Each structure stands twice: as C-alpha cells, then as structure tokens.
C-alpha cells in the first residue's frame, strides 16, 4: 500500500474513532434517545491508535484532530441552542462560538497526542505507553486550564452505567480509570497492528483489568451487605418538565408552582417518606434563613395528619447586606436546597 493509500486509510480510521467515541456518551437528538453504548469506549479509540502506529508527530496531530473534531461536533451540538435560544445570541455568532470551542478542544487533545508521538520517536518508548499517559494528562489539564477549563467529554464519564468498572474511581480518581481505558484501547489496536503486541503489554492490561474488576465487584458486594437489613426510605421524585425558556418568566410563577403542587397532592395516602422537587423548581426567591413556608404552597395541606412526609426542593436563596454601598450588591443570590417537614 502506497503512502497516499495509507494516509487515506488512516483518515478513515480516524473518522470511525470520532463517530464511535461520540456515541459512547448519553446522546439525544430531539425526541430520539440513543441506547447506552458506553461499553464501546473500551474500543472506540483503537482505530485512531492503529492509524498512529507509524505516524509522525505532524500526522498524529492531523489524525487526532479529525477524531476529536468529529467527536466534539456531535457531543457539543447543544451549545447552539444554549447560545441562541437561551443566550439570545444571533445564529451566526452562536454557530461561530460553537465552532471555535470545538476547534479549541480538538486542538488541545491533538497537541497532546502529537507530543506523545514525538516523545516516542525521540526516546524509543513504545507508543503503547506514551499515548495513555499523554491522553490522561491532557484530559486533566483541559478540565482546569485555561479559564477554569472545559470538563466535557472525559472518556471515563461514559462508564456511568457500569458500576463494577467505576468503583475504582474512589481510589484513583477519574483519571486513573481514563488511563486504564486508553491503555486498553492501545492494546486492542496492537492486536490488529502488531506494533504494540507483546507479553509484557498484555500482562499489564490484564493486571489492570483484574484489579479494577476485583475491587469493583468486592466493593459492590460490601455495600450490598452493608445495606442488607437496613430500613428503606420511600421516595417520590417529581419532574414537571417545564420548558427551559419558560422558567423564571414573570407572570408564569403560579402556573409553574401549581404543576408541582398537584403532583405532591396526588401522593396523598401513599405514605411516601420524602418528596423531591427538581433544582430551581420553586419560582420565587426565598430568604436564606427562612424557617417556615406555607404548606399549601407545596401541596402539603393535603398530607396533613398522615405519614411524616418531608419535601426537598431547589430554589434561589438570597441574603441581604444593607451595609453594601452598591444597591445591586445588597442582595446576594445563591442556588440552594430547602428541606421542609409536612408543616412547612
């Protein structure tokens, strides 16, 4: 295969990696909710890593940029709605800002992989070792730098549904699991390319996976055993599905509040212990140190005399500072939670 043919094939592999990686995260397009494909994250980077097996740092940057640009274009499409619908920016500016952010994060990871390739060329260290190290370091840096970072699209987040796999995070953090996942992808790529193969690398991956799964299953067993025989709490989670563009609109407060009042009233006689409203569900600002609220505001008047029921709800709390010279700073707002008994 000529150099041109090889380059085309590597670009195709990079595109495949970008598409698969985009869909390993929870994905929704309009009313279409895709199934959980998180398990593919253990293989989604393998086509890219296969393309990188003989790539120069410059080509490594290009292939990785293709993968990450496709991934972020799909996973960050919602930014347009956030900027245009809720931010009030014109369509052209919204699209421009979204594209700039995609290019920024794609460049970030591409530079890291190009540097990993450069280190391998200069030191002779196999790319099986440098790619996971630099990928993990890149995710860490991107989450914090610059301007407080952009913590979106960490590969570990795709594993939220696989409890045995993610228990190890309480010891090594998300970046420890990221290193394991990226190493596994590099090993899978080696099984096709031959450049990463070897007993030492296979043993390394096997040991990591055994440690992760052994700890995960043992931790789950311990927690299940700890919970066995403990009293349970009956919880009702309410979701009013109020459109985002209607929240905090003047004149709509009573209508929005009634949605949750009616849902709470419908629980009368259910002997539920805890009723949970969503974040920012209470449409009026509340004094931070308030101790009592009218129970009818929450539909609790229908639960009077029944089971001891509590309500946890989200709202905006404010604190007054009359000593502040600037009027706009005399009231400080905080996103808060409130906890009520059935008497308010």
């Amino acid at each position: 295969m000529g150099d041109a043919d090889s380059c085309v094939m590597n670009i195709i592999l990079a595109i495949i990696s970008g598409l698969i990686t985009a869909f390993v995260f929870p994905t929704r397009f309009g009313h279409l909710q895709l199934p959980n494909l998180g398990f593919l994250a253990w293989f989604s980077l393998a086509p890219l890593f296969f393309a990188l097996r003989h790539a120069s740092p410059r080509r490594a940057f290009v292939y990785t940029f293709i993968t990450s640009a496709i991934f972020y274009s799909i996973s960050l499409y919602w930014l347009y709605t956030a900027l245009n619908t809720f931010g009030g920016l014109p369509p052209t500016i919204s699209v421009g800002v979204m594209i700039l952010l995609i290019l920024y994060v794609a460049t970030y990871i591409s530079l890291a992989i190009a540097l990993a390739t450069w280190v391998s060329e200069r030191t002779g260290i196999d790319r099986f070792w440098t790619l996971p190290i630099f990928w993990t370091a890149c995710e860490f840096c991107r989450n914090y730098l610059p301007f407080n970072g952009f913590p979106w699209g960490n590969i570990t987040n795709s594993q939220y549904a696989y409890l045995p796999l993610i228990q190890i995070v309480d010891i090594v953090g998300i970046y420890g699991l990221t290193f394991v996942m990226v190493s596994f992808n590099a090993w899978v790529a080696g099984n096709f390319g031959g450049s990463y193969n070897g007993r030492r690398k296979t043993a390394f991956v096997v040991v990591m996976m055994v440690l992760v799964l052994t700890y995960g299953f043992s931790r789950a067993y311990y927690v299940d055993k700890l919970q066995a025989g403990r009293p349970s709490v009956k919880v009702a989670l309410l979701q009013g599905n109020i459109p985002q563009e209607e929240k905090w609109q003047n004149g709509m407060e009573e209508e929005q509040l009634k949605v949750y009042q009616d849902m709470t009233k419908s629980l009368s006689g259910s002997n539920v212990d805890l009723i949970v409203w969503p974040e920012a569900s209470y449409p009026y600002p509340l004094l931070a140190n308030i101790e009592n609220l009218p129970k009818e505001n929450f539909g609790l008047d229908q639960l009077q005399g029944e089971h001891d029921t509590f309500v946890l709800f989200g709202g905006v709390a404010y604190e007054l500072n009359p000593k502040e010279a600037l009027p706009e700073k005399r009231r400080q707002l905080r996103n808060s939670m409130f906890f009520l008994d059935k008497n308010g």
Side-chain angles (χ1 to χ4, degrees):
M1 183 181 293
D3 185 64
D5 293 334
S6 177
C7 183
V8 171
M9 178 57 66
N10 289 336
I11 290 175
I12 293 174
L13 290 172
I15 293 172
I16 292 173
S17 260
L19 291 172
I20 298 176
T21 304
F23 294 110
V24 302
F25 295 91
T27 306
R28 185 181 184 92
F29 297 104
H31 296 291
L32 176 62
Q33 176 69 56
L34 299 186
N36 174 35
L37 300 173
F39 66 94
L40 291 177
W42 294 85
F43 309 93
S44 66
L45 298 177
L48 171 64
F49 289 167
F50 183 78
L52 297 177
R53 65 197 185 281
H54 301 306
S56 65
R58 179 176 297 179
R59 287 197 173 183
F61 177 91
V62 172
Y63 298 151
T64 308
F65 186 87
I66 292 172
T67 294
S68 50
I70 291 173
F71 159 52
Y72 281 113
S73 294
I74 295 174
S75 64
L76 295 179
Y77 79 95
W78 54 269
L79 276 174
Y80 175 82
T81 303
L83 294 168
N84 177 252
T85 304
F86 304 122
L89 296 178
T92 51
I93 296 179
S94 299
V95 171
V97 171
M98 183 177 67
I99 291 175
L100 285 175
L101 181 58
I102 291 170
L103 294 177
Y104 160 69
V105 290
T107 301
Y108 211 122
I109 189 69
S110 302
L111 286 173
I113 297 307
L115 185 58
T117 304
W118 181 85
V119 169
S120 292
E121 285 189 351
R122 294 298 186 275
T123 64
I125 299 174
D126 199 292
R127 298 181 190 194
F128 173 85
W129 307 106
T130 60
L131 289 175
I133 291 173
F134 279 85
W135 187 289
T136 304
C138 173
E139 284 204 354
F140 176 83
C141 293
R142 187 202 60 214
N143 287 349
Y144 295 98
L145 300 170
F147 313 119
N148 294 323
F150 186 71
W152 191 273
N154 294 313
I155 195 73
T156 305
N157 295 348
S158 65
Q159 303 304 292
Y160 71 95
Y162 309 117
L163 295 184
L165 287 171
I166 62 177
Q167 298 309 305
I168 196 71
V169 168
D170 67 4
I171 296 177
V172 299
I174 64 169
Y175 306 107
L177 185 56
T178 294
F179 179 82
V180 174
M181 294 177 67
V182 178
S183 296
F184 189 89
N185 273 276
W187 176 78
V188 172
N191 286 335
F192 292 97
S195 58
Y196 301 154
N197 286 334
R199 292 182 180 179
R200 192 169 55 152
K201 296 161 190 170
T202 299
F204 178 73
V205 171
V206 169
V207 169
M208 284 197 303
M209 293 304 301
V210 168
L211 289 174
V212 168
L213 292 173
T214 299
Y215 180 79
F217 281 108
S218 62
R219 182 66 178 167
Y221 173 78
Y222 169 76
V223 172
D224 288 341
K225 187 177 180 180
L226 197 64
Q227 291 178 336
R230 298 292 179 89
S232 60
V233 176
K234 192 175 183 181
V235 180
L237 305 178
L238 309 187
Q239 178 53 265
N241 292 322
I242 297 172
Q244 184 69 32
E245 60 271 17
E246 295 181 8
K247 291 185 177 180
W248 298 102
Q249 293 296 317
N250 291 331
M252 303 190 71
E253 296 90 349
E254 291 187 12
E255 178 184 343
Q256 295 173 11
L257 187 58
K258 190 175 185 301
V259 172
Y260 291 105
Q261 289 172 343
D262 292 343
M263 295 175 77
T264 300
K265 291 176 182 178
S266 70
L267 295 169
S268 180
S270 64
N271 290 331
V272 64
D273 298 300
L274 177 64
I275 302 172
V276 181
W277 293 18
E279 179 186 21
S281 53
Y282 197 76
Y284 302 102
L286 295 170
L287 195 61
N289 59 354
I290 194 168
E291 295 184 358
N292 293 281
L293 287 166
K295 57 178 181 274
E296 57 269 17
N297 284 15
F298 302 87
L300 292 172
D301 50 321
Q302 299 293 318
L303 306 182
Q304 184 68 23
E306 296 186 7
H307 190 73
D308 284 335
T309 301
F310 295 85
V311 175
L312 182 70
F313 71 95
V316 173
Y318 66 91
E319 295 180 355
L320 296 177
N321 183 10
K323 297 181 180 180
E324 178 61 50
L326 299 175
E328 63 271 18
K329 292 188 176 182
R330 289 175 187 167
R331 193 172 80 154
Q332 295 180 330
L333 301 177
R334 290 186 173 86
N335 190 20
S336 305
M337 289 195 304
F338 295 86
F339 189 63
L340 304 178
D341 62 20
K342 66 178 182 180
N343 295 314

